[in-house]
Amino acid sequence: MPHLALYTFGVLKSPLADPAPLTREFHASGEAVYREVGRHPGYIARAEAADRGPGDFEADWGAWGAFTVPAWYDKGRTVDTIALATTLSLWTDLRPAFDAIYTGLHRAALNRRYDWFERSEHPNYVFWWVPDGVIPTWQDGVCALEHLHAHGAAPRAFTFHHAFAPDGTSARVTGTGLPKGDRLADKGA
């Protein structure tokens, strides 16, 4: 049975190393959000660096591959200048991913995203299906996000608003109350 890969990417208003209150708030919420998301039914795994912090270009990500970012990221690439937040995870299906993203601590963090992240015309998340046993790589996520930006939703790169089943047919997360115009939910909304 295929699994759902999810890549998220956002450009922070200030570098991760910035001691400003908003940056500290973002950092302070992160671990609790990850713990809660990790307990959701349907969650399989997420990329975690074996030897360094998130967003570290030199970190060892194991099977998740070398760390990379979309071409449009034009901020720093050193520990002191990195200004991004990104995740790569695996899920059993769209509904569990939706439930984890739009409830609890993650939903509360989404409500603060414009305090922490720059607004962008680029999508900030993308889904795609991978065969059972395959671990998606950071490069896979970047390629899917760039494809979504360039071509819109398709079976190889899609959003909650324009989702696809593993067989490539159109799919829908029913009964979700998906926020209309939510930039996290759909590019260009």
Side-chain angles (χ1 to χ4, degrees):
M1 177 119 202
H3 291 136
L4 186 68
L6 168 61
Y7 174 75
T8 67
F9 184 83
V11 178
L12 293 163
K13 289 182 176 180
S14 61
L16 289 168
D18 186 343
L22 285 176
T23 304
R24 284 195 312 267
E25 285 175 15
F26 175 74
H27 275 288
S29 68
E31 210 41 55
V33 170
Y34 283 135
R35 270 193 312 276
E36 184 177 276
V37 166
R39 290 190 303 261
H40 269 270
Y43 170 85
I44 298 170
R46 72 177 169 101
E48 295 184 76
D51 62 346
R52 297 192 183 162
D56 189 329
F57 284 82
E58 302 301 317
D60 175 7
W61 293 91
W64 302 89
F67 186 75
T68 189
V69 295
W72 62 79
Y73 175 72
D74 61 359
K75 300 259 179 150
R77 293 176 181 257
T78 68
V79 173
D80 293 331
T81 62
I82 291 171
L84 60 86
T86 185
T87 64
L88 180 59
S89 58
L90 274 174
W91 297 84
T92 57
D93 206 348
L94 281 163
R95 184 64 206 207
F98 181 92
D99 290 344
I101 290 167
Y102 286 105
T103 61
L105 294 175
H106 194 273
R107 180 69 222 181
L110 284 178
N111 290 339
R112 298 283 317 277
R113 67 187 175 273
Y114 296 127
D115 293 340
W116 302 322
F117 293 94
E118 294 180 357
R119 292 178 187 245
S120 172
E121 76 276 2
H122 299 99
N124 50 18
Y125 82 99
V126 64
F127 288 111
W128 70 101
W129 294 100
V130 296
D132 186 25
V134 169
I135 302 293
T137 66
W138 289 106
Q139 184 63 49
D140 296 336
V142 167
C143 288
L145 193 69
E146 289 176 342
H147 185 274
L148 177 65
H149 177 68
H151 306 288
R156 67 177 279 194
F158 55 91
T159 66
F160 281 123
H161 274 140
H162 299 102
F164 292 86
D167 66 2
T169 60
S170 185
R172 200 173 153 91
V173 182
T174 58
T176 62
L178 186 64
K180 292 192 188 301
D182 187 336
R183 290 187 64 83
L184 181 75
D186 198 17
K187 169 191 134 162

